[in-house]
Structure formats: structure tokens, C-alpha cells
Amino acid sequence: MTTLDKRFAALRPRIDLDTANALDDALSALAPGDTAAELVDAARDSVRSGKRLRALLAHFGASLGSGTPLGDGDVHLLGAALELYQASALVHDDLIDKALTRRGIATPHVRFARAHAHSSWSGSAPDFGAAAAVLLGDLLFSAAESAMIRQSQRLPHDRAVRLLARYALMHSEVALGQYLDVRAENLPLRAFGPSVSDAREVVLRKSARYSVVQPTLLGAAAAGADEDVLHALESALTPWGIAFQLRDDDLGVFGDPEVTGKPAGDDIREGKRTVLLALTWENASEAERLRLERALGNPEPGPEELTAAADIIEARGRADHEHLIEALIEEGARALDDSPLAPKTRSELLELSRIITARTS
């Protein structure tokens, strides 16, 4: 475990508490009543676990922007807002992907549908589950907004304006990236073979900037970093953010479910048009493409089909994918070499790049 890993591990319990408190504050202001108990319980359960990456990066950015030790900056509400927003996004993402479990437990739309069926309510249990999950995501989103408002009130006016503008940009980028992702999954493979450039655009919009770039820049902006520093951070973090998601895509096929918290082969079942799949498709033979088509987007592929698809991806795409990850890591490092950032800052950023691109979960 690196020095930064240890500092992150020490900060996580505080982020857990910040996030739970921010949600409780939002719920208290709402005073939902007993009839909304299922919604409130699901909201609290949605924020009980997670890697807390976005909040950690907000604190990291604030440390870089202010020169204060990690966790000492006044960005605890920002970190909580990012975690609440992430919880909201995951609820909606799981609904869109029809995912049954996350981190080993039922996803919210499944949970609500089961509650409906168990209580023998009228109407369709799946429809109720989907509607309730949309509203749960909206509730968590509103809690995130409340935390962001309170964070901005603690800052000088110019910092607050910059912070909220960047936060709003992050929202719209995620929505655009999610749409591009859904659209790509619905294009017929034969007519619209997966494109590396299109897949990278989805990665950039949906994940790289949202998961890595924007949280760090939000923390740095809240701490008063100037535009030159923000630009230098963005130049290095953008390729690393792409590499972060490419590593996630590799784990989506080859990761250990006990570590990732997601069933093995989920990306194959969902037919995700990842860069890994695009590289595989480019290199695959006609017979291999036919086998991929049998598994991709099939919610219940047989074990043989799933294994065959993973084997083809291993043989035809994984090596090129790893080379691309390495090239992106080097691209970010070169951007640091040309930046005005202090040597200590550059060293910490290089340590961060290793953490986010060599992960196993």
C-alpha cells in the first residue's frame, strides 16, 4: 500500500460519516413520514458502502490547491455531495442496465419490485420497482444538490460561482455520456460495428471526467486554485481518467466478483460497447464475431457462450487494451512534465495515477 493509499484509507471513515450526515440533513428537512419508509431506507442503504473515490479525489484536489494536508480542507460537504450524486447515478444506471445485483445485494428497482410483490399491492411489481428507483435516484440527487448549496455558502462568492458552474457541467456531461452509451448498446453489431473512437467518447463523457477529472478539479477550485493549476491538473488527469475506465472495463469481463461486487461477465450480458470490445471486434475473425454476437446483450447467456466470448476478448483485444492503458498513463505523465506544478504536487499525482489505473475493484 502506497503512502497516498494509506492517507485515503484513513480519510474514508470521515467521508462515510459526511455522506450519511448530509443525507440525514436532507431527509430531516423533507420530513417524509412513515409511508415513505421504503424509500428512506433504500436511500440510506444506497450510501452505506462504496470506494468513495470521488470524495477522496475532491479532498485530494483541495489539498493540492491549498497546500493543506489531505482531509484538512473545507470540502467535506463537497465530498458528500459527490458521493450522493454517485449513489443517484448508480440507481439510475442499474435500472437502465437491468442489473439485478450490485455489491452482492439486490439493486433498488429489484428491491422495490420485491417489496411490491411481497405486500400483494395492485398493479405491476416491475413497473413499481422501476418508477420507485427513478424517484430514489432523484431523491439522492436532491440531497447532493443540498450539500453542494451548503458547501458553496461556505466559500467566497467567486469560488462558489466557479464551483457550481463546474458541478453543473459535470451533471450534463454524465447525462450525455449515458445517452451515448445507451445508444451504442442499441446499434446492431453488424451494421454499426463497435468503434474505438466512439467508445472512447463515451468513456470520456460518462466516466473519465466524472469519476476522476471533475472531482479533483472541484476540490482544487473550492480551495482557491487558479486557472493555470486547474488546466495543468486537467491535462494530466484526463488521460488517466480514460485509463481508469478502461481498467474498469477489463474488470467487467475478467474481474473477480468477490472483489468487484458485480457478477462476472456483466458487461458481456449488457452488450457494453467498450473500447475493449471495439478492439476485440476489429481483430476478430468472422467466426469469432458470430460467437460474440450470441453472448453480447444476451441477459441469460449459457456458461459456454459467456466463456467463449471472454476467451475471444482475451485473445483478440486484451493485449491491445493493456497497451492503450499504458500509453494513456504515459500521456498524463508527459503532461505533468510540461506543467507549472511543483515537484511535490507532480509526485503525488503520479502516485494517484498508479492507484486509479492498477486497481482490482
Side-chain angles (χ1 to χ4, degrees):
M1 182 178 285
T2 68
T3 301
L4 186 57
D5 265 322
K6 292 176 181 177
R7 290 159 63 198
F8 279 170
L11 184 56
R12 279 192 187 97
R14 174 63 194 269
I15 292 172
D16 289 341
L17 184 60
D18 291 337
T19 306
N21 286 344
L23 176 60
D24 282 346
D25 288 342
L27 292 173
S28 295
L30 191 61
D34 292 342
T35 53
E38 299 96 344
L39 184 68
V40 170
D41 289 345
R44 291 198 168 115
D45 287 345
S46 294
V47 300
R48 287 192 200 282
S49 61
K51 294 184 287 290
R52 307 305 191 199
L53 175 67
R54 289 153 192 85
L56 288 168
L57 290 178
H59 283 280
F60 181 72
S63 177
L64 296 183
S66 64
T68 58
L70 184 69
D72 284 0
D74 185 15
V75 291
H76 291 281
L77 285 166
L78 168 60
L82 289 169
E83 291 303 314
L84 288 164
Y85 182 85
Q86 168 68 353
S88 166
L90 289 179
V91 171
H92 288 163
D93 198 46
D94 285 341
L95 176 61
I96 291 170
D97 292 340
K98 300 181 177 64
L100 301 180
T101 63
R102 179 176 290 276
R103 301 175 188 134
I105 62 174
T107 48
H109 62 280
V110 172
R111 171 179 175 162
F112 285 122
R114 288 174 179 172
H116 180 288
H118 179 75
S119 301
S120 300
W121 292 345
S122 60
S124 162
D127 286 351
F128 174 79
V134 169
L135 298 171
L136 171 62
D138 289 350
L139 178 66
L140 291 164
F141 182 93
S142 297
E145 298 297 284
S146 176
M148 275 300 295
I149 290 169
R150 290 164 56 211
Q151 177 69 72
S152 67
Q153 290 172 335
R154 300 171 69 94
L155 300 175
H157 178 73
D158 60 332
R159 286 194 207 176
V161 170
R162 291 167 68 203
L163 185 73
L164 291 173
R166 185 171 288 280
Y167 186 65
L169 175 62
M170 183 189 78
H171 290 182
S172 59
E173 286 177 338
V174 172
L176 175 58
Q178 185 70 279
Y179 170 76
L180 294 174
D181 195 22
V182 171
R183 180 181 183 275
E185 288 174 24
N186 283 272
L187 295 177
L189 271 171
R190 286 290 164 182
F192 303 92
S195 155
V196 172
S197 61
D198 288 349
R200 280 190 63 156
E201 180 71 8
V202 172
V203 167
L204 178 65
R205 299 285 190 175
K206 182 183 174 183
S207 180
R209 289 182 59 78
Y210 163 58
S211 297
V212 175
V213 181
Q214 295 290 23
T216 310
L217 296 184
L218 285 164
D226 62 32
E227 288 299 325
D228 288 342
V229 169
L230 295 179
H231 177 73
L233 290 174
E234 188 167 9
S235 296
L237 290 168
T238 297
W240 293 343
I242 296 171
F244 164 87
Q245 182 57 43
L246 298 193
R247 176 62 61 210
D248 192 72
D249 293 339
D250 181 86
L251 293 171
V253 178
F254 304 108
D256 180 352
E258 294 296 321
V259 179
T260 64
K262 295 186 289 186
D266 247 16
D267 282 3
I268 295 174
R269 293 185 188 88
E270 293 167 14
K272 290 287 185 186
R273 302 302 199 263
T274 61
V275 173
L276 177 59
L277 175 62
L279 290 168
T280 300
W281 190 264
E282 286 183 356
N283 297 330
S285 67
E286 181 61 24
E288 288 168 332
R289 289 182 176 184
L290 287 170
R291 298 213 71 174
L292 286 171
E293 284 181 296
R294 293 191 195 107
L296 291 168
N298 180 354
E300 296 181 0
E304 290 184 4
E305 291 175 331
L306 201 60
T307 299
D311 287 346
I312 294 167
I313 294 170
E314 170 83 46
R316 299 301 184 193
R318 200 176 188 189
D320 287 350
H321 197 249
E322 285 297 320
H323 293 153
L324 179 54
I325 290 173
E326 291 301 319
L328 288 162
I329 295 170
E330 292 173 8
E331 181 183 339
R334 287 195 302 272
L336 280 186
D337 290 339
D338 298 330
S339 77
L341 299 174
K344 181 176 182 296
T345 300
R346 280 185 257 176
S347 176
E348 290 187 332
L349 284 163
L350 287 171
E351 189 176 353
L352 175 69
S353 76
R354 290 187 286 272
I355 291 172
I356 64 176
T357 60
R359 62 202 177 89
T360 58
S361 65

